[in-house]
Amino acid sequence: MFEMIGGWLQRPNYIAFVLLFLWGIYIMVTRYNLVKKLIGMYLMQTSVIFFLVTTSAKRGATVPILLSTTDVIQSEVYANPLPHVLTLTAIVVGVATLGVSLALADAIYKKYGSLDEEEILKRLE
Amino acid sequence: MTRHLPAIFFLLPLGLAICLPFIGIKHREWCRPLSIGVLATMVPVSFANLIGVLQHGSIHYDFGGWAAPVGIEWVADGLASVMTVALSLVGLVCITFLSSVLFPYLGSRIVPFYTLVLLLIASLAGMVFAGDLFNLFVFLEVSALCAYALVGLAGGKALVAGFRYLILGTFGASLYLLGVGYLYAETGTLNMADLAQRVPPLVASKAIGVGVLFMFIGLGIKMALVPLHGWLPDAYTYAPDRVSPMLASLVTKVALYGWIRIMFWVLGAQAVVYQIPILFLVGMLGALAALVGAFLALSQTDIKRMFAYGGLSHIGLILVGISLGNQTGFVGGVFYLLNDAVMQAGLFFWAGAIIHLYGVRTINDLGRLHGGAGWMSVALVAIALSMIGIPPTGGFFGKWYIVLGAVEAQNYLAIVAVLIATLLTLAYFVKLFERVFWDRSAQQPPLIREIPLAVRIGLGATSVAVIVLGLTSDFIVSFLLKNAVPPGL
C-alpha cells in the first residue's frame, strides 16, 4: 500500500493530470452556468494536453535539434518531439472548439437572456 | 494518377470550402451550384479510386513524401474505398436536398452554411482514409465542430441542443485523445499499421487496456452508442430540417467506421482486454443499443425524434454484426452500415419534407397527409420496408447476413436481439402507417402544391437505392468478402 502511494508520489505530473481532468469533469457536471461549463471543458482538454507533454519529458534532455551532425545520434540526449507536435494540434483543436462553444453560448444568451441552464430549460417549455 | 485519388477526393470539398467565403462576397448565388458540382465530381473520383484499388491493391499515400511510420499516412484499402463511394453518393443526394427551395431562405448566411457542409464532407473523407490514430482525432474534431455549428444554425432550441452536443462531443474527443496518448506512451507509434505490429504482444498491459477503453468510450459518444447517446435525439430533432439527413446518415456512421478500423486493424479481432474479449463487449453493448433504441423510438410522438432513436437502434445492429467474430457477420454489419446511411438519409428527407409541405411535426398530425401524397407515401413505404427488413430491400439482406453470421458463431443472443429489434421497428412503423394511411380525420391540402424537384430527387434516390442495394446484395456482399475483410478474421 505504502509502496504504491510512494510510487505515485514519484510522479507528481500524473497526479496533477488526474486531478485536473477530474476537476474539469466535476465543473462540467455540477455548474449550471454555461460559461462555467466551458471553463470545466477547457480545463479537461488542457489536462489531456498536459498528460501528452508529460509523457515526453525526460530528465536532462534538450530540445530535439541535433547538437552535432557528425557524431552518432544519442536518443537519450533529446526530448521526444512528437508529443509536443500532437499537443500543438490538440491546442488548436481546443481553441477552435472553445470558439464555437462561446459563439453558441452567446447566441443562447441573446435568445433566452440567461446563461443559467435551469433558467434556459424553464424558458424552453 | 490513381495513387493521388484519395488526396484529390479529400481536396475537392476542402478546396471549395476554403474558396467559398471569397467567392461568396460577390456571388452568393454561386454557392449552391458549386457545392453540388464538387460533390458530383467526387462521385466519379471515388469510383475511379475504388477501381484503382481493386486493380493495384491498397493505396498507401504518404503526405509530403515522408514514409509511413514517421510521416502521416492515408490508407485506401477495399473497405475505405467502398466507404468513400457511399460517402460521395449519399453526400451528393443530401446536398441536393438541402439546397431545396422548400426551406427558408438563408440570406447572407448561405456562404458559411455551404462552407460548413463542405468542410464536414471533407473531414469525413479524411476520417475514412486516416491511417494514423491522431489524424483520425483531428478529422473527428473537424467534423464534430462543423456538426455543432450546423445543428446550432436553426436557432432557438437547436442552440441548446447544439451546446449539449458540443459539451458531450468534446468530452468524448478528450477521452479519445487520452486513449491515443496511452497507446503512444506504451508503443511509441501512432501509425495504425505499425501499431498493429506492436499492440498484440502488449495487449495485456494496463496502459493498452485503459487506453483502448478510453478510445472506445470516446468514439462511443461520437457514434451515439446507447448508454452514451444523450446528445443525439435533441440534436437531430432540433437541427435544421435541411441538414439533419446529412448529420444522421453520415456523422455517426463514420465514427462507427473509425471504431471498426481501430478494433480490427489495430487491436486485432481476437484482442482480450482485462479477460474480456473486446468483440464480446462490443456485441453486448450493440445488442443493448439495438433494443433500447427501438423501444425508445416506439414511445416517441415527434417524427424526427422517432427516426433519431431508430438510428440509435441501427447503430446497435451494425455493432452486433461486426462483433460476431466471423467474416459473414462482419460483412453483414458493413453492408448494413451502407444501408443505414441511405435509410437514415431517406427518413430525414421524408421528415423534413412533410414538416415543410404539410406543417406536420408529430405523429398525431400525420392524418393531414392522406391522399394527394403519392411521392411521400411511396418513399415512406420503400424506406420503411428496408428499416423493418422485408425483402427485396437492402435492410433485409443486411439483417439476413448478420443473422447468418450469428448462427455461424452460435451466438443465439445476437439472433434474439436482432429479431426483437426488428419487431419493435415494425411496431413503430405500423404506428406511423396507421396515421398516414387510415387516419382521415384531419385531411388538408399541402401548404405547397408542387413537391420541389430537390425533394423528389432526395426521396426518389433513397427509395430506389434501398431496393437496388437489396437486389444487388449478393454482388456487394461477395465483393466485400473478397476485398474488405480485415486480416485475421
Side-chain angles (χ1 to χ4, degrees), chain A residues 17 21 25 28 34 37-38 41 44-45 48 51-52 80 82-83 86 89-90 93 96-97 100-101 104-105 107-108 111-112 120-121 124, chain B residues 70 134 137-138 141 145 148-149 152 155-160 162-164 166-168 170-171 174-175 177-178 180-182 184-185 190:
Chain A
F17 152 69
F21 190 79
I25 294 176
M28 264 166 65
L34 296 186
K37 268 183 195 295
L38 292 184
M41 186 186 86
M44 185 189 66
Q45 283 182 308
V48 175
F51 169 80
L52 285 175
N80 182 356
L82 191 90
L86 301 187
T89 316
V93 168
T97 313
V100 174
S101 57
L104 276 176
I108 290 174
K111 174 86 185 171
Y112 297 102
I120 293 164
L121 289 179
L124 274 179
Chain B
V70 179
F134 191 76
F137 164 76
V138 173
E141 273 311 83
L145 282 175
Y148 308 145
K157 286 183 180 178
L159 290 171
V160 181
F163 191 84
R164 192 172 296 158
L166 185 140
I167 292 275
L168 281 171
T170 309
F171 179 56
S174 298
L175 282 181
L177 181 61
L178 188 60
V180 171
Y182 272 64
Y184 178 74
L190 289 168

Side-chain angles (χ1 to χ4, degrees), chain B residues 249-317:
Chain B
S249 65
L250 296 176
V251 175
T252 49
K253 304 296 172 302
V254 176
L256 177 57
Y257 166 87
W259 174 244
I260 294 178
R261 264 287 150 203
I262 293 167
M263 187 159 65
F264 289 100
W265 272 266
V266 173
L267 302 172
Q270 265 73 41
V272 176
V273 171
Y274 289 115
Q275 280 98 41
I276 304 167
I278 293 186
L279 283 183
F280 174 78
L281 179 69
V282 170
M284 285 293 124
L285 285 171
L288 182 74
L291 297 179
V292 173
F295 258 120
L296 290 172
L298 190 57
S299 61
Q300 302 304 322
T301 51
D302 186 300
I303 296 164
K304 276 176 91 178
R305 192 177 281 269
M306 176 192 259
F307 292 161
Y309 278 111
L312 292 182
S313 122
H314 282 206
I315 291 277
L317 284 177

